mmCIF file of all heavy atoms in Angstrom:
data_model
loop_
_atom_site.group_PDB
_atom_site.id
_atom_site.type_symbol
_atom_site.label_atom_id
_atom_site.label_comp_id
_atom_site.label_asym_id
_atom_site.label_seq_id
_atom_site.Cartn_x
_atom_site.Cartn_y
_atom_site.Cartn_z
ATOM 1 N N GLY A 37 -8.434 8.561 21.417
ATOM 2 C CA GLY A 37 -9.721 9.160 21.072
ATOM 3 C C GLY A 37 -10.289 8.631 19.773
ATOM 4 O O GLY A 37 -11.151 9.252 19.161
ATOM 5 N N ASP A 38 -9.804 7.467 19.366
ATOM 6 C CA ASP A 38 -10.182 6.920 18.063
ATOM 7 C C ASP A 38 -11.008 5.646 18.147
ATOM 8 O O ASP A 38 -11.011 4.834 17.234
ATOM 9 C CB ASP A 38 -8.932 6.681 17.224
ATOM 10 C CG ASP A 38 -7.947 5.716 17.884
ATOM 11 O OD1 ASP A 38 -8.171 5.323 19.052
ATOM 12 O OD2 ASP A 38 -6.946 5.369 17.235
ATOM 13 N N GLY A 39 -11.748 5.490 19.245
ATOM 14 C CA GLY A 39 -12.660 4.354 19.342
ATOM 15 C C GLY A 39 -13.811 4.552 18.376
ATOM 16 O O GLY A 39 -14.012 5.648 17.851
ATOM 17 N N PRO A 40 -14.579 3.510 18.096
ATOM 18 C CA PRO A 40 -15.673 3.625 17.126
ATOM 19 C C PRO A 40 -16.665 4.740 17.466
ATOM 20 O O PRO A 40 -17.077 5.490 16.584
ATOM 21 C CB PRO A 40 -16.353 2.258 17.148
ATOM 22 C CG PRO A 40 -15.653 1.438 18.153
ATOM 23 C CD PRO A 40 -14.481 2.185 18.670
ATOM 24 N N ALA A 41 -17.025 4.885 18.724
ATOM 25 C CA ALA A 41 -17.941 5.968 19.106
ATOM 26 C C ALA A 41 -17.220 7.314 19.076
ATOM 27 O O ALA A 41 -17.803 8.332 18.708
ATOM 28 C CB ALA A 41 -18.525 5.706 20.488
ATOM 29 N N GLY A 42 -15.953 7.317 19.455
ATOM 30 C CA GLY A 42 -15.168 8.551 19.442
ATOM 31 C C GLY A 42 -15.012 9.132 18.053
ATOM 32 O O GLY A 42 -15.049 10.351 17.868
ATOM 33 N N LYS A 43 -14.876 8.250 17.062
ATOM 34 C CA LYS A 43 -14.737 8.713 15.675
ATOM 35 C C LYS A 43 -15.993 9.431 15.203
ATOM 36 O O LYS A 43 -15.926 10.302 14.345
ATOM 37 C CB LYS A 43 -14.436 7.537 14.753
ATOM 38 C CG LYS A 43 -13.047 6.973 14.916
ATOM 39 C CD LYS A 43 -12.851 5.775 13.999
ATOM 40 C CE LYS A 43 -11.508 5.135 14.217
ATOM 41 N NZ LYS A 43 -11.317 3.934 13.390
ATOM 42 N N ALA A 44 -17.132 9.080 15.768
ATOM 43 C CA ALA A 44 -18.402 9.691 15.364
ATOM 44 C C ALA A 44 -18.666 11.010 16.096
ATOM 45 O O ALA A 44 -19.566 11.746 15.713
ATOM 46 C CB ALA A 44 -19.546 8.717 15.620
ATOM 47 N N MET A 45 -17.890 11.273 17.137
ATOM 48 C CA MET A 45 -18.114 12.487 17.931
ATOM 49 C C MET A 45 -17.457 13.698 17.274
ATOM 50 O O MET A 45 -16.402 13.579 16.662
ATOM 51 C CB MET A 45 -17.544 12.298 19.344
ATOM 52 C CG MET A 45 -18.201 11.182 20.111
ATOM 53 S SD MET A 45 -17.335 10.796 21.643
ATOM 54 C CE MET A 45 -18.107 11.979 22.708
ATOM 55 N N GLN A 46 -18.094 14.850 17.420
ATOM 56 C CA GLN A 46 -17.532 16.101 16.931
ATOM 57 C C GLN A 46 -17.482 17.103 18.074
ATOM 58 O O GLN A 46 -18.530 17.537 18.522
ATOM 59 C CB GLN A 46 -18.354 16.638 15.757
ATOM 60 C CG GLN A 46 -18.196 15.848 14.490
ATOM 61 C CD GLN A 46 -16.748 15.780 14.015
ATOM 62 O OE1 GLN A 46 -15.990 16.743 14.099
ATOM 63 N NE2 GLN A 46 -16.356 14.612 13.537
ATOM 64 N N PRO A 47 -16.315 17.444 18.544
ATOM 65 C CA PRO A 47 -15.017 16.880 18.202
ATOM 66 C C PRO A 47 -14.827 15.525 18.877
ATOM 67 O O PRO A 47 -15.493 15.235 19.869
ATOM 68 C CB PRO A 47 -14.032 17.903 18.759
ATOM 69 C CG PRO A 47 -14.735 18.500 19.930
ATOM 70 C CD PRO A 47 -16.199 18.510 19.558
ATOM 71 N N PRO A 48 -13.897 14.730 18.355
ATOM 72 C CA PRO A 48 -13.613 13.443 18.999
ATOM 73 C C PRO A 48 -12.886 13.672 20.326
ATOM 74 O O PRO A 48 -12.363 14.765 20.570
ATOM 75 C CB PRO A 48 -12.704 12.739 17.988
ATOM 76 C CG PRO A 48 -12.072 13.841 17.212
ATOM 77 C CD PRO A 48 -13.079 14.947 17.169
ATOM 78 N N PRO A 49 -12.831 12.654 21.182
ATOM 79 C CA PRO A 49 -12.094 12.798 22.440
ATOM 80 C C PRO A 49 -10.622 13.134 22.169
ATOM 81 O O PRO A 49 -10.027 12.633 21.217
ATOM 82 C CB PRO A 49 -12.208 11.414 23.089
ATOM 83 C CG PRO A 49 -13.417 10.809 22.476
ATOM 84 C CD PRO A 49 -13.469 11.335 21.075
ATOM 85 N N VAL A 50 -10.080 13.981 22.999
ATOM 86 C CA VAL A 50 -8.670 14.366 22.889
ATOM 87 C C VAL A 50 -7.823 13.193 23.398
ATOM 88 O O VAL A 50 -8.180 12.562 24.395
ATOM 89 C CB VAL A 50 -8.397 15.635 23.736
ATOM 90 C CG1 VAL A 50 -6.936 16.014 23.725
ATOM 91 C CG2 VAL A 50 -9.265 16.787 23.239
ATOM 92 N N PRO A 51 -6.712 12.892 22.739
ATOM 93 C CA PRO A 51 -5.844 11.813 23.235
ATOM 94 C C PRO A 51 -5.450 12.052 24.700
ATOM 95 O O PRO A 51 -5.210 13.193 25.104
ATOM 96 C CB PRO A 51 -4.622 11.882 22.318
ATOM 97 C CG PRO A 51 -5.146 12.498 21.052
ATOM 98 C CD PRO A 51 -6.193 13.480 21.503
ATOM 99 N N PHE A 52 -5.375 10.978 25.456
ATOM 100 C CA PHE A 52 -4.990 11.089 26.862
ATOM 101 C C PHE A 52 -3.652 11.782 27.024
ATOM 102 O O PHE A 52 -3.447 12.516 27.991
ATOM 103 C CB PHE A 52 -4.928 9.709 27.532
ATOM 104 C CG PHE A 52 -6.268 9.076 27.763
ATOM 105 C CD1 PHE A 52 -6.437 7.716 27.580
ATOM 106 C CD2 PHE A 52 -7.356 9.817 28.199
ATOM 107 C CE1 PHE A 52 -7.660 7.107 27.815
ATOM 108 C CE2 PHE A 52 -8.589 9.218 28.437
ATOM 109 C CZ PHE A 52 -8.730 7.858 28.244
ATOM 110 N N SER A 53 -2.708 11.552 26.102
ATOM 111 C CA SER A 53 -1.381 12.161 26.221
ATOM 112 C C SER A 53 -1.473 13.681 26.268
ATOM 113 O O SER A 53 -0.647 14.334 26.891
ATOM 114 C CB SER A 53 -0.473 11.714 25.075
ATOM 115 O OG SER A 53 -1.046 12.080 23.831
ATOM 116 N N THR A 54 -2.480 14.247 25.648
ATOM 117 C CA THR A 54 -2.705 15.691 25.671
ATOM 118 C C THR A 54 -3.674 16.074 26.792
ATOM 119 O O THR A 54 -3.395 16.979 27.584
ATOM 120 C CB THR A 54 -3.298 16.163 24.320
ATOM 121 O OG1 THR A 54 -2.399 15.794 23.282
ATOM 122 C CG2 THR A 54 -3.533 17.650 24.296
ATOM 123 N N ALA A 55 -4.799 15.395 26.864
ATOM 124 C CA ALA A 55 -5.863 15.758 27.807
ATOM 125 C C ALA A 55 -5.444 15.616 29.265
ATOM 126 O O ALA A 55 -5.922 16.370 30.119
ATOM 127 C CB ALA A 55 -7.102 14.903 27.544
#
Side-chain angles (χ1 to χ4, degrees):
D38 59 353
K43 289 178 184 177
M45 298 170 86
Q46 288 302 321
V50 176
F52 288 141
S53 59
T54 302

